Amino acid sequence: MDGYFPLDSGRRRTLRSAIGCVGIGVHSGRRVSLVLRPAPVGAGVRFRRTDTGFEVPALFDRVVDTRLCTALGEPGGDPARSIATVEHVMAALAGCGVDDALVEIDGPEAPILDGSAAPFVFLIDCAGTVARAGAPAQAIEVLRPVRVEDGAAWAELAPAVSRGGLEASLTIDFPSTAIGRQSFAMRITPEGFREELSEARTFTLAEEVAALRAAGLARGGSLANAVVVDGPLVLNPGGLRRPDEFVRHKLLDAVGDLALAGAPLRGRFAGHRSGHRLNNRLLHALFAEAANWRFAPAVPAAEGAASVRLPAAAAPAAA
């Protein structure tokens, strides 16, 4: 399909046509519809709530909540002026090289679908993408290391080793024996995102489900849209899609969160037990000083490094 290698031209891309879906909000439990639409050159990604008229750019400084998801909105806590669970949509758009798009949603959060980014990638493929003549894509080049920490957890961005996009590595460490400690590292390219990350699903621990619902979260969660772990057991009848699906999903989340930079990052991301909050803090730290970054021409995929999984040694060590 047209959208399969979306970065080869080195030009800004949008969707060729609009396309939509209907699903359940994982936290609200509400039925919600989502439509991906083309957008003008330079518009970036924007989210619009069709039920309230609220519209917000998909940028790191518009994040208002990072509890178990990433939510965009305005300070003040008005639920009518926020849109939650945007990270999987953002990961799919970034992974497929879409620079400009309007995401319309008729409720408080994006639908969870199967808990991964794969359904959104499918929608983008069906709609197709188109490169804009005379609109070269730009990247945000990381010029010096930036790091944020929260206890033993940390996340950092550093200058790239090669010209090709974002190199990413992540380690997670959970007490549940079904998850445990996992590491994964790869170079983020369109084909690499599709093959290695897009199908990894969100997950939770069985003992946390009751507390989440008491807090008003995970009301729409089920085995159809999340991996549920109980000690050494994976409760989903079909099991895991990959033995290390857990760390792959956390890296998928990071791709979506880092896409809120407003342009593709050229650099190296590394994290240990990082989540939505640390990922957002990392972008704030990056843009806090002008010497940390600069705009640079985006490198077409054909000129960058191949989409390969990096050796395990590239994964971050425990802090």
Side-chain angles (χ1 to χ4, degrees):
M1 284 189 172
D2 179 71
Y4 195 84
F5 297 108
L7 298 184
D8 285 350
S9 69
R11 291 178 287 163
R12 293 186 71 89
R13 300 189 74 92
T14 190
L15 299 167
R16 187 177 295 278
S17 61
I19 192 167
C21 66
V22 176
I24 299 297
V26 68
H27 293 304
S28 67
R30 288 177 49 177
R31 181 181 182 274
V32 60
S33 65
L34 174 147
V35 180
L36 301 175
R37 297 188 182 277
V41 173
V45 178
R46 299 183 67 88
F47 284 78
R48 176 189 294 161
R49 282 188 61 170
T50 58
D51 59 331
T52 66
F54 174 65
E55 186 170 325
V56 61
L59 295 173
F60 71 98
D61 58 356
R62 301 304 297 270
V63 171
V64 293
D65 197 355
T66 53
R67 294 177 302 158
L68 300 180
C69 73
T70 295
L72 301 170
E74 293 182 351
D78 183 352
R81 301 186 68 78
S82 67
I83 302 174
T85 321
V86 303
E87 60 272 14
H88 299 169
V89 182
M90 289 302 301
L93 291 169
C96 292
V98 176
D99 302 287
D100 303 309
L102 176 64
V103 185
E104 292 185 339
I105 302 173
D106 67 351
E109 64 177 325
I112 191 64
L113 303 179
D114 75 344
S116 77
F120 297 114
V121 171
F122 175 76
L123 291 177
I124 294 168
D125 283 348
C126 291
T129 65
V130 59
R132 263 56 184 288
Q138 282 191 312
I140 293 168
E141 183 179 2
V142 180
L143 299 179
R144 60 184 188 180
V146 177
R147 180 179 173 113
V148 292
E149 300 179 351
D150 184 6
W154 55 268
E156 66 181 21
L157 284 166
V161 174
S162 65
R163 295 182 68 221
L166 181 68
E167 297 176 3
S169 57
L170 187 67
T171 295
I172 62 173
D173 196 352
F174 283 78
S176 173
T177 53
I179 304 175
R181 181 183 174 88
Q182 298 183 352
S183 296
F184 189 72
M186 65 174 290
R187 185 171 293 113
I188 307 298
T189 63
E191 57 268 42
F193 178 81
R194 291 168 177 277
E195 295 171 5
E196 303 290 348
L197 294 184
S198 68
E199 292 186 345
R201 296 164 293 175
T202 192
F203 60 93
T204 191
L205 306 182
E207 62 266 27
E208 295 180 351
V209 172
L212 290 173
R213 289 181 173 164
L217 301 170
R219 292 175 176 174
S222 71
L223 295 179
N225 55 41
V227 176
V228 180
V229 171
D230 188 1
L233 303 176
V234 174
L235 302 185
N236 300 64
L240 298 174
R241 293 176 176 175
R242 306 254 191 164
D244 57 354
E245 185 171 1
F246 306 104
V247 69
R248 289 175 189 252
H249 182 77
K250 285 292 190 180
L251 191 53
L252 183 158
D253 278 347
V255 170
D257 290 339
L258 294 177
L260 297 175
L265 290 171
R266 185 189 300 176
R268 289 178 293 145
F269 167 79
H272 175 69
R273 297 171 60 183
S274 181
H276 300 302
R277 180 172 176 270
L278 268 184
N279 296 338
N280 186 250
R281 282 183 54 201
L282 182 60
L283 289 183
H284 277 274
L286 174 68
F287 293 111
E289 296 187 39
N292 292 338
W293 65 281
R294 68 179 177 188
F295 282 117
V299 179
E303 297 179 20
S307 300
V308 295
R309 179 173 173 176
L310 300 177

Coordinates of all heavy atoms in Angstrom, one line a residue, residues 4-7 94-97 164-167 186-197 255 300-301 304-308:
Y4 N 3.0 2.1 3.1 CA 3.9 1.1 3.8 C 5.3 1.7 4.0 O 5.9 1.4 5.0 CB 4.0 -0.1 2.9 CG 4.6 -1.3 3.7 CD1 3.8 -2.0 4.6 CD2 5.9 -1.5 3.6 CE1 4.4 -3.1 5.3 CE2 6.5 -2.6 4.3 CZ 5.7 -3.3 5.2 OH 6.3 -4.3 5.9
F5 N 5.8 2.5 3.0 CA 7.1 3.1 3.2 C 7.0 4.6 3.2 O 7.4 5.3 2.3 CB 8.1 2.6 2.2 CG 8.4 1.2 2.2 CD1 7.9 0.3 1.2 CD2 9.1 0.6 3.2 CE1 8.1 -1.0 1.2 CE2 9.4 -0.8 3.2 CZ 8.9 -1.6 2.2
P6 N 6.4 5.2 4.2 CA 6.0 6.6 4.1 C 7.0 7.6 4.2 O 6.8 8.8 4.0 CB 5.0 6.7 5.3 CG 5.5 5.7 6.3 CD 6.0 4.6 5.5
L7 N 8.3 7.2 4.5 CA 9.3 8.3 4.7 C 10.3 8.4 3.5 O 11.2 9.1 3.5 CB 10.1 8.0 6.0 CG 9.3 8.0 7.3 CD1 10.3 7.9 8.4 CD2 8.5 9.3 7.4
A94 N 3.2 8.3 14.1 CA 4.6 8.5 14.0 C 5.3 7.3 13.3 O 6.2 7.5 12.5 CB 5.2 8.7 15.4
G95 N 4.9 6.1 13.7 CA 5.5 4.9 13.1 C 5.3 4.8 11.6 O 6.1 4.2 10.9
C96 N 4.2 5.3 11.1 CA 3.9 5.3 9.7 C 4.3 6.5 9.0 O 4.1 6.7 7.8 CB 2.4 5.1 9.5 SG 1.8 3.4 10.0
G97 N 5.0 7.5 9.7 CA 5.5 8.7 9.1 C 4.5 9.7 8.7 O 4.7 10.5 7.8
G164 N 20.1 7.8 10.8 CA 18.8 7.3 10.6 C 17.8 7.3 11.8 O 17.8 6.4 12.6
G165 N 17.1 8.4 12.0 CA 16.0 8.4 12.9 C 16.3 8.2 14.4 O 17.3 8.7 14.9
L166 N 15.4 7.5 15.1 CA 15.5 7.3 16.5 C 16.0 5.9 16.9 O 15.3 4.9 16.5 CB 14.2 7.6 17.2 CG 14.1 7.5 18.7 CD1 14.9 8.6 19.4 CD2 12.7 7.6 19.2
E167 N 17.0 5.8 17.7 CA 17.4 4.5 18.2 C 16.8 4.4 19.6 O 16.9 5.4 20.4 CB 18.9 4.3 18.3 CG 19.6 4.3 16.9 CD 21.1 4.3 17.0 OE1 21.6 4.2 18.1 OE2 21.7 4.4 15.9
M186 N 15.9 -1.3 19.5 CA 15.7 -1.3 18.1 C 15.9 0.1 17.5 O 15.8 1.1 18.3 CB 14.4 -1.9 17.6 CG 13.2 -1.1 18.1 SD 11.6 -1.7 17.4 CE 11.8 -1.3 15.7
R187 N 16.0 0.2 16.2 CA 16.0 1.5 15.5 C 14.6 1.7 15.0 O 14.0 0.8 14.3 CB 17.0 1.5 14.4 CG 17.1 2.9 13.7 CD 18.3 2.9 12.8 NE 19.6 2.8 13.5 CZ 20.4 1.8 13.5 NH1 20.1 0.7 12.8 NH2 21.5 1.8 14.2
I188 N 14.0 2.8 15.3 CA 12.6 3.0 14.9 C 12.5 3.5 13.5 O 12.9 4.7 13.2 CB 11.9 4.0 15.9 CG1 12.1 3.6 17.3 CG2 10.4 4.2 15.5 CD1 11.4 2.3 17.7
T189 N 12.0 2.7 12.6 CA 11.7 3.0 11.2 C 10.3 2.5 10.9 O 9.8 1.7 11.7 CB 12.7 2.4 10.3 OG1 12.6 1.0 10.3 CG2 14.2 2.8 10.6
P190 N 9.7 2.9 9.8 CA 8.4 2.5 9.5 C 8.2 0.9 9.5 O 7.3 0.4 10.1 CB 8.1 3.1 8.2 CG 8.9 4.3 8.1 CD 10.2 4.0 8.9
E191 N 9.1 0.3 8.8 CA 9.0 -1.2 8.7 C 9.3 -1.8 10.0 O 8.7 -2.8 10.4 CB 9.8 -1.8 7.6 CG 11.3 -1.4 7.6 CD 11.7 -0.2 6.9 OE1 10.9 0.8 7.0 OE2 12.7 -0.2 6.2
G192 N 10.3 -1.3 10.8 CA 10.6 -1.8 12.1 C 9.5 -1.6 13.1 O 9.2 -2.5 13.8
F193 N 8.8 -0.5 13.1 CA 7.7 -0.3 14.0 C 6.6 -1.3 13.7 O 6.0 -1.9 14.6 CB 7.2 1.2 13.8 CG 6.0 1.4 14.6 CD1 6.1 1.8 16.0 CD2 4.7 1.4 14.1 CE1 5.0 2.0 16.8 CE2 3.6 1.6 14.9 CZ 3.7 1.9 16.2
R194 N 6.3 -1.5 12.4 CA 5.2 -2.4 12.0 C 5.6 -3.8 12.5 O 4.7 -4.5 13.1 CB 5.1 -2.5 10.5 CG 4.5 -1.2 9.9 CD 4.7 -1.2 8.4 NE 4.0 -0.1 7.8 CZ 2.8 0.0 7.5 NH1 2.0 -1.0 7.8 NH2 2.3 1.1 7.0
E195 N 6.8 -4.3 12.3 CA 7.1 -5.7 12.5 C 7.4 -6.0 14.0 O 7.2 -7.1 14.4 CB 8.4 -6.0 11.6 CG 8.1 -6.0 10.1 CD 9.4 -6.1 9.3 OE1 10.4 -6.4 9.9 OE2 9.3 -6.0 8.1
E196 N 8.0 -5.0 14.7 CA 8.5 -5.3 16.0 C 7.7 -4.8 17.2 O 7.7 -5.3 18.3 CB 9.9 -4.7 16.1 CG 10.9 -5.3 15.1 CD 11.3 -6.7 15.3 OE1 10.9 -7.3 16.3 OE2 11.9 -7.3 14.4
L197 N 6.9 -3.7 16.9 CA 6.2 -3.0 18.0 C 4.7 -2.9 17.9 O 4.0 -3.0 18.9 CB 6.8 -1.6 18.2 CG 8.2 -1.4 18.7 CD1 8.5 0.1 18.9 CD2 8.5 -2.2 19.9
V255 N 7.3 5.5 22.0 CA 7.2 6.1 20.7 C 6.1 7.1 20.6 O 6.2 8.2 20.0 CB 7.1 5.0 19.6 CG1 6.8 5.6 18.2 CG2 8.4 4.1 19.6
P300 N 15.4 10.6 4.7 CA 14.5 9.6 4.1 C 14.9 8.2 4.6 O 16.1 7.9 4.8 CB 14.7 9.8 2.6 CG 15.2 11.2 2.4 CD 16.0 11.5 3.7
A301 N 14.0 7.3 4.7 CA 14.2 6.0 5.1 C 15.3 5.3 4.3 O 16.1 4.5 4.8 CB 12.9 5.2 5.2
G304 N 18.6 6.3 5.6 CA 19.0 6.0 7.0 C 19.4 4.5 7.1 O 19.4 3.8 6.1
A305 N 19.7 4.1 8.3 CA 20.0 2.8 8.6 C 18.8 1.9 8.4 O 17.7 2.3 8.5 CB 20.6 2.7 10.0
A306 N 19.1 0.6 8.2 CA 18.0 -0.4 8.0 C 17.2 -0.6 9.3 O 17.7 -0.2 10.4 CB 18.6 -1.7 7.6
S307 N 16.0 -1.1 9.2 CA 15.2 -1.4 10.3 C 15.6 -2.7 11.0 O 15.2 -3.8 10.5 CB 13.7 -1.5 9.9 OG 13.3 -0.3 9.3
V308 N 16.5 -2.6 11.9 CA 17.0 -3.9 12.5 C 16.9 -3.7 14.0 O 16.9 -2.7 14.6 CB 18.5 -4.1 12.2 CG1 18.6 -4.3 10.7 CG2 19.3 -2.9 12.6

